[in-house]
């Protein structure tokens, strides 16, 4: 409570408090120096009292000049220690010269050195204690049992920085490092021991660890995937630091800890998009996405809106999913194109099923749709296996009617989002998608067909609903 009161004081009041403390500590340091040198409880007498009074008069201007009262105590570190060392050294030198010139008897010469050392200790020590108190370390120490215990994987520069940051946290308590470098194992950094990965199980049990933080921003993606795979048997939360490229570019800071994402589990570097191909069927064109509320359809919409289509039609039969996707895309547009108030109006939600050919044909004609991405489908293999008739109706007949609507309304390009399970179908879902592919292949061979029917087979879309990673 008192710490919060002090922190809420204006800056000049805080500086006044620090100055007042130093005014007391400087004569105190001298008294300790004399007592240590003479080996008794020393009481200054005669002209020596003037030397005690001169100490703060000499020191305060020097301390002010070296910025000791401009430093924020809560964040004082090595640079603060260096400033204290330089200012106290100059003060001790000036005070020593005064002692020599005054020729006051009863001042041992060794007191000059002892006073320098004691003053450094009390001036910096007072600030270190204040930093410990104001930063909440006292409270944190009493709540150690309530904090989440964290093991940091990687004892390099990033690991040390994150350990220092977590040490200030009220919610996390770093207890150890894990590092593959055998020369580091068995040593300590900032009071934390460094272990090999083989000791992780015993560390988790000993300290009740709940989280492992990967502090290896420069490690290769394949090595990161290996480490994550090694951590799978342990019932702990895994977080990671950003990659070295992001750190170097200044996009993120070392303390930007994030959840382990699918990119970390991919096992290879992601392939960037070919913007020429993206622009061909999207930029300045009217695009319609069926199944726009699904995990794949909604991601298609997010990518399409970045390529600046003339208009985007969201075609979805699930009202809630359509509502969420529309709102998300409008917020995305405002972020991507701030100040363009008319752009969100170019996103149009259509609540309808792809099995309704007349409705889809009417929408394509009314909006002048030029490109259709057909993502509407039932794709969960076990669910489709239990409901084969719905799969036939939605995946096969839905594709047939959507394709016919595109053909009848003069759509330029129709893209079917298919699946790798259509290669050699062994289940109802794969068979229904293969059937849908054959429908498009047949329509493309029709004489006078002006719509370009294409298809793309997706593998396991990592972050889609029901895919392996979320599951």
């Amino acid at each position: 409570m008192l710490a919060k009161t002090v922190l809420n004081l204006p800056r000049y009041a805080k500086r006044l408090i620090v100055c007042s403390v130093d005014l007391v500590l400087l004569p105190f340091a001298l008294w300790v120096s004399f007592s240590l040198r003479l080996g008794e409880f020393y009481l200054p007498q005669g002209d020596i009292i003037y030397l005690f009074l001169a100490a703060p008069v000499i020191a305060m201007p020097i301390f002010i000049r070296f910025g000791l009262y401009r430093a924020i105590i809560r964040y004082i570190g090595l640079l603060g220690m260096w400033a204290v060392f330089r200012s106290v050294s100059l003060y001790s030198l000036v005070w020593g010269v005064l002692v020599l010139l005054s020729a006051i008897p009863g001042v041992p010469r060794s007191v000059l050195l002892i006073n320098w050392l004691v003053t450094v200790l009390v001036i910096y020590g007072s600030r270190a204690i204040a930093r410990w108190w104001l930063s909440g370390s006292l409270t944190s120490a009493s709540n150690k049992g309530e904090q989440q215990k964290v093991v940091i994987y990687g004892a390099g520069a990033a690991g040390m920085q994150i350990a220092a940051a977590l040490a200030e946290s009220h919610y996390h308590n770093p207890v150890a490092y894990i590092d593959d470098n055998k020369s580091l194992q068995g040593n300590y950094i900032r009071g934390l021991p460094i272990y090999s990965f083989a000791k992780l199980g015993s560390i988790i049990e000993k300290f009740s660890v709940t989280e492992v933080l990967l502090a290896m921003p420069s490690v290769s993606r394949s090595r990161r995937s290996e480490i994550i795979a090694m951590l799978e048997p342990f019932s702990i939360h895994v977080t990671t630091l950003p990659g070295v490229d992001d750190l170097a570019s200044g996009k993120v800071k070392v303390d930007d800890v994030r959840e382990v994402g699918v990119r970390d589990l991919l096992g290879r570097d992601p392939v960037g998009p070919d913007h020429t191909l993206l622009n061909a069927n999207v930029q300045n064109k009217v695009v319609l996405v069926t199944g726009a509320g699904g995990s794949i359809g909604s991601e298609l919409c997010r990518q399409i809106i970045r390529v600046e289509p003339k208009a985007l039609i969201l075609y979805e039969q699930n009202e809630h999913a359509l509502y969420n996707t529309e709102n998300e895309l409008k917020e995305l547009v405002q972020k991507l194109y701030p100040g363009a108030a008319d752009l969100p109006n170019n996103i149009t939600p259509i609540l309808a099923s792809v099995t309704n050919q007349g409705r889809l044909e009417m929408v394509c004609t009314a909006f002048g749709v030029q490109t259709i991405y057909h993502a509407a489908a039932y794709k969960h293999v076990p669910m489709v296996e239990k409901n084969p008739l719905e799969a036939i109706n939605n995946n096969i007949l839905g594709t047939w009617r959507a394709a016919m609507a595109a053909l009848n309304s003069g759509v330029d390009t129709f893209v079917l989002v298919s699946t790798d399970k259509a290669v050699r179908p062994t289940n109802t879902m794969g068979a229904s998608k293969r059937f849908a592919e054959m429908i498009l292949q047949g329509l493309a061979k029709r004489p006078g067909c002006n719509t370009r029917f294409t298809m793309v087979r997706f593998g396991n879309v990592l972050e889609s609903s029901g895919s392996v990673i979320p599951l």
Side-chain angles (χ1 to χ4, degrees):
M1 191 67 178
L2 181 58
K4 289 185 178 179
T5 303
V6 172
L7 289 174
N8 291 330
L9 290 174
R11 174 57 52 190
Y12 74 87
K14 295 175 184 176
R15 289 177 179 171
L16 186 60
I17 292 173
V18 178
C19 288
S20 302
V21 171
D22 287 349
L23 285 172
V24 174
L25 289 178
L26 287 164
F28 171 76
L30 266 178
W31 173 78
V32 171
S33 302
F34 274 92
S35 297
L36 289 173
R37 171 63 182 82
L38 299 174
E40 61 183 22
F41 192 85
Y42 178 75
L43 291 175
Q45 298 176 356
D47 292 338
I48 294 180
I49 295 176
Y50 295 112
L51 294 178
F52 274 74
L53 296 176
V57 175
I58 296 171
M60 297 307 289
I62 296 175
F63 288 2
I64 292 171
R65 178 65 182 84
F66 278 86
L68 262 62
Y69 303 116
R70 292 196 301 271
I72 300 176
I73 301 297
R74 278 179 295 165
Y75 306 111
I76 194 169
L78 291 178
L79 289 177
M81 177 64 179
W82 176 238
V84 169
F85 180 83
R86 290 188 302 159
S87 58
V88 171
S89 298
L90 181 57
Y91 146 70
S92 299
L93 180 63
V94 174
W95 187 83
V97 170
L98 176 64
V99 170
L100 295 175
L101 291 178
S102 64
I104 296 176
V107 181
R109 298 294 179 262
S110 56
V111 166
L112 305 181
L113 180 61
I114 297 173
N115 178 53
W116 169 77
L117 180 59
V118 172
T119 305
V120 168
L121 292 175
V122 297
I123 295 298
Y124 185 76
S126 64
R127 284 155 174 77
I129 292 171
R131 177 182 182 270
W132 179 69
W133 176 53
L134 293 174
S135 64
S137 297
L138 183 62
T139 306
S140 298
S142 62
N143 294 333
K144 285 291 184 185
E146 301 175 7
Q147 293 178 317
Q148 290 189 13
K149 306 298 192 300
V150 179
V151 168
I152 299 172
Y153 200 122
M160 287 186 282
Q161 290 185 50
I162 202 66
L166 291 178
E168 304 290 337
S169 171
H170 294 210
Y171 309 102
H172 296 86
N173 177 26
V175 295
Y177 289 101
I178 295 291
D179 201 280
D180 301 326
N181 189 339
K182 293 184 179 180
S183 64
L184 293 177
Q185 294 167 7
N187 296 314
Y188 286 77
I189 296 179
R190 292 181 178 270
L192 299 181
I194 305 173
Y195 297 99
S196 65
F197 182 83
K199 299 288 183 67
L200 181 59
S202 59
I203 296 170
I204 292 173
E205 184 176 353
K206 179 180 179 181
F207 295 103
S208 300
V209 173
T210 57
E211 182 175 339
V212 170
L213 195 154
L214 305 183
M216 302 173 294
S218 59
V219 76
S220 66
R221 188 176 298 276
S222 58
R223 178 55 184 158
R224 186 185 296 270
S225 298
E226 289 176 12
I227 293 170
I228 293 171
M230 289 161 52
L231 292 170
E232 282 183 8
F234 300 99
S235 181
I236 49 175
H237 188 206
V238 181
T239 53
T240 183
L241 286 179
V244 69
D245 292 338
D246 290 334
L247 290 171
S249 64
K251 294 178 182 176
V252 291
K253 301 182 291 298
V254 174
D255 56 354
D256 289 330
V257 178
R258 60 175 173 82
E259 297 286 339
V260 170
V262 293
R263 286 174 178 263
D264 300 306
L265 304 172
L266 189 56
R268 60 173 174 80
D269 292 327
V271 178
D274 186 331
H275 292 284
T276 303
L277 294 176
L278 290 178
N279 294 343
N281 291 317
V282 175
Q283 194 170 47
N284 295 321
K285 293 193 175 184
V286 179
V287 181
L288 183 146
V289 178
T290 67
S295 50
I296 294 176
S298 61
E299 182 59 30
L300 280 173
C301 293
R302 294 184 198 102
Q303 300 302 325
I304 288 168
I305 208 70
R306 296 174 185 273
V307 193
E308 301 180 29
K310 184 178 180 181
L312 177 59
I313 315 300
L314 313 177
Y315 200 91
E316 170 63 51
Q317 68 171 344
N318 185 304
E319 180 187 28
H320 182 65
L322 182 62
Y323 171 79
N324 288 338
T325 302
E326 180 193 12
N327 287 339
E328 181 186 347
L329 290 175
K330 286 185 176 180
E331 290 179 5
L332 180 60
V333 167
Q334 293 290 7
K335 291 180 181 178
L336 294 174
Y337 316 105
D342 60 320
L343 282 177
N345 297 326
N346 293 337
I347 300 173
T348 305
I350 302 295
L351 186 63
S353 170
V354 290
T355 58
N356 188 340
Q357 180 180 333
R359 172 72 164 149
L360 182 54
E361 195 170 318
M362 182 180 68
V363 170
C364 291
T365 303
F367 288 94
V369 174
Q370 296 164 281
T371 302
I372 292 179
Y373 288 94
H374 181 52
Y378 292 136
K379 61 185 178 61
H380 293 272
V381 172
M383 194 64 68
V384 169
E385 208 66 34
K386 296 172 184 176
N387 301 274
L389 292 180
E390 285 302 315
I392 293 170
N393 184 47
N394 197 52
N395 295 4
I396 298 176
L397 298 180
T399 300
W400 161 259
R401 288 165 181 155
M404 289 302 299
L407 192 63
N408 294 338
S409 56
V411 172
D412 295 334
T413 305
F414 185 99
V415 182
L416 168 67
V417 178
S418 188
T419 172
D420 58 354
K421 294 177 178 62
V423 179
R424 282 183 291 274
T426 57
N427 52 57
T428 306
M429 197 278 282
S432 66
K433 296 296 281 186
R434 178 60 185 137
F435 204 130
E437 291 180 0
M438 295 172 69
I439 289 172
L440 297 191
Q441 289 171 332
L443 289 176
K445 294 178 181 179
R446 276 191 175 185
C449 176
N450 295 319
T451 299
R452 182 169 58 252
F453 290 105
T454 64
M455 60 199 78
V456 57
R457 285 172 173 168
F458 283 10
N460 195 310
V461 183
L462 291 183
E463 287 185 290
S464 66
S465 63
S467 66
V468 63
I469 300 301
L471 188 61

